[in-house]
């Protein structure tokens, strides 16, 4: 069975909720693994047939821990993931586009196949208090994450990618 690896980083819970929703849906279709960015490594990437990367956007960029995951894993797997499918989810306070672009550039370097437009969920957190507060992602937005996980899991199971 094809394995889907979901790697996430979350400081205030938003990205974690998004990744968990995608994971729950995906594991009904294929083997799915959910790992925090700090716990995932090159061996996890090599073992998987497809990926979902999920992180918050911090200061108009990928979160530091997610970027560190990519930094740590980039060269050990370079040239060994070519053509594998991926999707990404971003939890943003206002925009999320720059974090999505960063992730896409890294995935392009790995020669991954983008199979879904980035899913950006905006929390509209604009004050220091709101930015640092624990997030609660609304159910309708979590459903979008489930749909992404389901689609990628089903696509891997059917060999569509």
């Amino acid at each position: 069975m094809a394995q889907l690896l979901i790697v996430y980083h979350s400081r205030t819970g938003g990205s974690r909720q998004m990744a968990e929703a995608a994971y729950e849906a995906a594991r009904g279709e294929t083997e799915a693994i959910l790992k925090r960015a700090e716990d995932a490594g090159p061996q996890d990437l090599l073992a998987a047939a497809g990926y979902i990367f999920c992180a918050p956007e911090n200061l108009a960029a990928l979160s530091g821990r997610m970027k560190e995951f990519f930094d740590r894993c980039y060269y050990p797997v370079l040239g060994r993931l070519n053509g594998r499918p991926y999707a990404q989810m971003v939890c943003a306070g206002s925009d999320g586009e720059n974090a999505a672009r960063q992730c896409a550039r890294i995935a392009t370097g790995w020669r991954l196949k983008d199979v879904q437009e980035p899913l950006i969920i905006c929390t509209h957190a604009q004050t220091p208090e709101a930015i640092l507060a624990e997030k609660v992602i609304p159910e309708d937005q979590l459903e979008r994450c489930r749909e992404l996980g389901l689609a990628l899991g089903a696509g891997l199971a059917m060999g569509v990618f």
Side-chain angles (χ1 to χ4, degrees), residues 21-22 25 116 119 140 142-153:
Q116 168 78 34
L119 173 56
D140 64 321
L142 290 176
E143 186 57 32
R144 295 174 63 205
C145 300
R146 288 184 197 97
E147 290 169 0
L148 188 148
L150 181 69
L152 204 53

Side-chain angles (χ1 to χ4, degrees), residues 21-76:
Y23 167 73
E24 289 300 325
R27 69 185 196 150
E29 299 295 327
T30 193
E31 180 184 354
I33 306 292
L34 179 65
K35 288 210 165 196
R36 296 181 317 156
E38 55 266 34
D39 298 329
Q43 69 284 358
D44 298 303
L45 289 161
L46 292 169
Y51 316 96
I52 296 175
F53 303 114
C54 180
E57 181 175 69
N58 292 339
L59 303 174
L62 276 173
S63 68
R65 292 247 174 142
M66 193 66 167
K67 178 68 169 58
E68 191 276 333
F69 158 76
F70 286 126
D71 288 345
R72 184 169 32 86
C73 296
Y74 190 82
Y75 290 107

Side-chain angles (χ1 to χ4, degrees), residues 76-157:
V77 301
L78 187 60
R80 301 169 71 188
L81 307 178
N82 297 11
R84 296 182 192 185
Y86 89 98
Q88 60 170 307
M89 301 185 296
V90 175
C91 185
S94 60
D95 183 58
E97 293 291 333
N98 198 48
R101 275 192 297 278
Q102 274 187 294
C103 184
R105 288 186 68 160
I106 293 163
T108 296
W110 274 341
R111 309 294 188 265
L112 298 178
K113 181 180 178 183
D114 182 3
V115 297
Q116 168 78 34
E117 289 292 317
L119 173 56
I120 299 172
I121 293 181
C122 184
T123 64
H124 305 284
Q126 295 298 301
T127 65
E129 296 78 19
I131 290 166
L132 297 172
E134 278 295 308
K135 305 298 182 285
V136 177
I137 304 299
E139 184 57 37
D140 64 321
Q141 299 300 311
L142 290 176
E143 186 57 32
R144 295 174 63 205
C145 300
R146 288 184 197 97
E147 290 169 0
L148 188 148
L150 181 69
L152 204 53
L156 283 175

